[in-house]
């Protein structure tokens, strides 16, 4: 049995049955992490402390104390507060910063028996989607280390895809759990806003930020969701034959890379043959409203929320200190406007919050209700993973486009609305790179969206593990 090929659910069952210990499980992961160290997925871990924590979980099991995640090693994105490991946001000013207490979401996982394996690489301060980090080094895509893993939760996705761990936790403001999931061939979940506690996480926007689980298996996401949401009910189950799905072609399916489009259309064919109904109905004004909601809210709230985080957890560091040491040119540019309060005016922000966001929420709510859709299905990203170093512009279908707006195009609307969104890996494109689709549903339908995702994954299966190569080969 290759224990690193097990899903988290199967690994927990095997540990519970005595097939291997938590210590043996962690040892295998440490060895795998050394083998793929050039991917730079993990920026901080303490082997001695990690093994000691696993040994404590083994003793706990011998005393018949068996919480839901007993012995589960999990990787946390480096913006989630932990008292035993630094939380830096992968930015120089916070390097080595150890907060005084765990983030509530981290504490919930620990209380459920998890072992925190380490902290994952990320785009600096989560203000980007390439994970090209000058201070900590870029995280790399396991399918091709010359490509980005996506971001900002790129390290978490890369480690899972490379077989270091079965699961981990990222955060999502505009797509940061789902984009790297799509680029790395795994699954990433953004819950209904407010489903998980958000305290103790280095912020961008209180309105839009949320932690989110990432894993190879949707079944593992269901387990983590239950713990993170403090739920007690078992995972919901549903068959594709019971599901009515919407396909909004306008906006979401426009200007797709050909290799991506081929996999997406094959997935739609599968769903059309398996679902109760797959109906093409467009969502009007998505592009217009996203522009009026997304960046105006995030860039206005970024200063306010970061100042509060620093006051609560790092009072000796100011937001000006953070700005002065930012190493990523793309982050430096936007953060300068954030700190100087010139990025967005208060009037534009208030209009976004009181007019445009409610209008957008009503638009999505009506889309699901009036069409009796359980969910809609969209491409997670318009293209497969692009090369490292293209932080400003990328090529899509022979033309240059701005990197961030292009990559977050499909994930940003649901982030603005605050509805659940699940990216599931559905195939490899002709270029050998992963492609994902997002399933998105009404606010509060998290368990159903995960159940639909599990049913879809049961049909398409897992993607083949990447054969990880070095960049020199």
């Amino acid at each position: 049995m290759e224990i690193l090929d097990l899903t988290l659910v199967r690994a927990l069952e095997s540990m519970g049955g005595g097939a291997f210990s938590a210590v043996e499980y962690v040892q295998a992961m440490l060895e795998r992490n050394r083998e793929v160290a050039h991917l730079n997925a993990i920026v901080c871990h303490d082997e001695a402390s990690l093994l000691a924590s696993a040994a404590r979980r083994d003793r706990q099991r011998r005393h018949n104390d068996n919480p839901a995640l007993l012995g589960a090693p999990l990787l946390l994105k480096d913006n989630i507060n932990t008292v035993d490991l630094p939380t830096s946001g992968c930015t120089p000013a916070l390097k080595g910063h150890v907060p005084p207490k765990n983030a509530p979401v981290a504490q919930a996982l620990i209380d459920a028996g998890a072992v925190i394996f380490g902290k994952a690489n990320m785009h600096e301060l989560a203000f980007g989607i390439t994970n090209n980090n000058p201070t900590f080094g870029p995280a790399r895509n396991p399918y091709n280390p010359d490509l980005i893993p996506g971001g900002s939760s790129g390290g978490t996705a890369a480690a899972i895809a490379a077989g270091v761990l079965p699961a981990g936790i990222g955060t999502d403001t505009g797509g940061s759990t789902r984009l790297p999931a799509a680029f790395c061939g795994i699954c990433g979940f953004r819950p209904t806003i407010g489903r998980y506690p958000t305290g103790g996480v280095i912020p961008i926007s209180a309105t839009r930020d949320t932690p989110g689980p990432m894993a190879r298996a949707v079944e593992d996401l269901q387990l983590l969701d239950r713990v993170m949401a403090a739920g007690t009910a078992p995972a919901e189950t549903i068959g594709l034959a019971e599901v009515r799905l919407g396909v909004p072609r306008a906006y979401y399916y426009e200007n797709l890379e050909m290799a991506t489009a081929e996999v997406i259309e094959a997935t739609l064919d599968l769903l059309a043959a398996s679902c109760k109904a797959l109906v093409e109905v467009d969502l009007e004004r998505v592009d217009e409203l996203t522009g009026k909601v997304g960046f105006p809210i995030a860039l206005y709230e970024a200063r306010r929320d970061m100042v509060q985080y620093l006051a609560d957890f790092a009072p000796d560091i100011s937001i000006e200190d953070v700005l002065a040491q930012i190493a990523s040119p793309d982050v430096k540019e936007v953060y300068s406007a954030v700190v100087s309060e010139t990025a967005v005016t208060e009037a534009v922000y208030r209009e976004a919050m009181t007019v445009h966001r409610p209008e957008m929420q009503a638009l999505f709510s009506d889309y699901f209700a009036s069409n009796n859709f359980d969910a809609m299905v969209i491409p997670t990203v318009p293209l497969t993973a692009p090369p490292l170093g293209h932080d400003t512009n990328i090529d899509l279908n022979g033309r240059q486009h701005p990197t961030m707006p292009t990559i977050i195009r499909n994930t940003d609307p649901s982030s603005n609305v605050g509805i659940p969104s699940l990216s599931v890996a559905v195939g490899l494109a002709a270029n050998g790179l992963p492609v994902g689709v997002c399933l998105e549903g009404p606010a509060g339908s998290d368990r159903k969206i995960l159940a639909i995702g599990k049913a879809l994954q049961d049909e398409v299966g897992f993607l083949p593990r990447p054969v990880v190569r070095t960049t020199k080969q």
Side-chain angles (χ1 to χ4, degrees):
M1 178 177 57
E2 294 291 337
I3 63 176
L4 294 184
D5 288 333
L6 297 173
T7 66
L8 180 61
V9 169
R10 299 285 90 78
L12 290 170
E13 291 174 351
S14 296
M15 279 192 286
F20 53 86
S21 67
V23 168
E24 290 170 322
Y25 198 25
V26 166
Q27 286 172 330
M29 291 177 178
L30 288 169
E31 176 58 32
R32 178 58 177 165
N33 187 51
R34 285 188 283 269
E35 292 172 353
V36 297
H38 62 285
L39 296 178
N40 198 30
I42 299 173
V43 295
C44 180
H45 71 289
D46 182 328
E47 290 197 15
S49 177
L50 178 55
L51 289 166
S53 179
R56 286 194 297 273
R57 296 309 191 191
D58 286 331
R59 290 194 295 273
Q60 192 174 340
R61 179 174 284 108
R62 288 196 291 271
H63 287 89
N64 294 315
D65 181 8
N66 295 290
L69 297 178
L70 186 62
L74 296 175
L75 183 64
L76 301 189
K77 187 176 179 179
D78 193 30
N79 60 348
I80 300 172
N81 282 2
T82 50
V83 296
D84 293 328
L85 292 169
T87 302
S88 73
C90 286
T91 196
L94 292 172
K95 197 171 185 179
H97 159 61
V98 179
K101 60 181 179 179
N102 291 321
V105 70
Q107 191 62 54
L109 296 165
I110 293 167
D111 290 345
V115 175
I116 305 306
F117 186 89
K119 306 301 279 288
N121 200 343
M122 58 182 281
H123 202 104
E124 188 171 0
L125 289 168
F127 263 90
I129 43 73
T130 66
N131 216 133
N132 188 18
N133 191 301
T135 302
F136 290 77
R140 297 178 180 275
N141 193 310
Y143 282 85
N144 180 343
D146 296 323
L147 308 180
I148 68 168
S152 58
S153 310
T156 309
I160 295 167
V164 179
L165 301 98
I169 310 299
T171 64
D172 191 306
T173 302
S176 291
T177 58
R178 296 160 288 160
L179 302 170
F183 284 151
C184 292
I186 63 166
C187 303
F189 183 55
R190 177 191 170 90
T192 297
I193 198 72
R195 182 170 176 82
Y196 307 150
T198 57
V201 178
I202 297 174
I204 293 178
S205 163
T207 299
R208 298 182 50 179
D209 293 347
T210 179
M214 304 169 71
R216 193 170 183 227
V218 178
E219 185 179 27
D220 294 346
L221 299 181
Q222 291 177 301
L223 171 60
L224 293 170
D225 171 74
R226 191 158 65 250
V227 171
M228 295 166 73
T232 56
E236 190 170 322
T237 59
I238 195 168
L240 289 179
E242 306 169 64
V243 173
R244 182 176 168 86
L245 297 177
V247 179
R249 287 277 182 184
Y251 179 80
Y252 290 102
Y253 285 77
E254 294 171 358
N255 197 27
L256 300 182
E257 173 192 56
M258 183 178 295
T260 296
E262 289 172 351
V263 177
I264 298 297
E265 294 302 325
T267 303
L268 292 180
D269 289 344
L270 180 152
L271 288 169
S274 305
C275 287
K276 181 178 181 180
L278 185 76
V279 185
E280 293 194 10
V281 181
D282 287 338
L283 259 166
E284 304 298 331
R285 302 179 61 210
V286 175
D287 194 10
E288 172 199 343
L289 289 172
T290 293
K292 292 179 177 179
V293 175
F295 284 112
I297 290 177
L299 297 184
Y300 185 88
E301 293 183 347
R303 176 186 170 86
R304 178 199 70 188
D305 296 345
M306 187 61 165
V307 167
Q308 187 62 57
Y309 173 88
L310 294 171
D312 291 341
F313 301 108
D316 295 333
I317 301 172
S318 71
I319 194 168
E320 289 79 15
D321 295 331
V322 173
L323 171 61
Q325 298 182 53
I326 287 174
S328 306
D330 57 329
V331 180
K332 187 89 166 183
E333 180 179 0
V334 69
Y335 221 73
S336 296
V338 164
V339 172
S340 66
E341 299 181 279
T342 60
V344 177
T345 66
E346 183 173 1
V348 169
Y349 170 69
R350 295 297 173 197
E351 189 174 10
M353 289 292 288
T354 62
V355 178
H356 302 308
R357 185 169 185 258
E359 187 177 10
M360 195 172 184
Q361 289 174 317
L363 174 74
F364 275 76
S365 179
D366 180 68
Y367 181 80
F368 295 117
S370 63
N371 294 291
N372 197 27
F373 288 146
D374 297 289
M376 68 180 192
V377 57
I378 59 175
T380 308
V381 198
L383 71 168
T384 52
L388 278 165
H390 294 240
D391 298 323
T392 304
N393 293 293
I394 54 171
D395 180 87
L396 175 58
N397 292 328
R399 295 184 62 184
Q400 291 293 301
H401 298 266
T403 300
M404 177 177 268
T406 301
I407 290 178
I408 70 169
R409 184 189 77 188
N410 284 4
T411 56
D412 205 33
S414 55
S415 304
N416 295 328
V417 176
I419 59 176
S421 177
L422 168 67
S423 182
V424 180
V426 291
L428 293 179
N431 59 11
L433 298 175
V435 174
V437 299
C438 270
L439 297 163
E440 303 189 339
S445 65
D446 302 71
R447 296 175 72 248
K448 176 178 277 191
I449 291 298
L450 287 165
I452 296 170
K454 169 72 163 56
L456 173 59
Q457 189 171 59
D458 287 345
E459 287 287 329
V460 301
F462 297 118
L463 297 194
R465 286 281 195 195
V467 179
V468 181
R469 65 170 179 82
T470 69
T471 55
K472 296 179 180 178
Q473 290 179 317

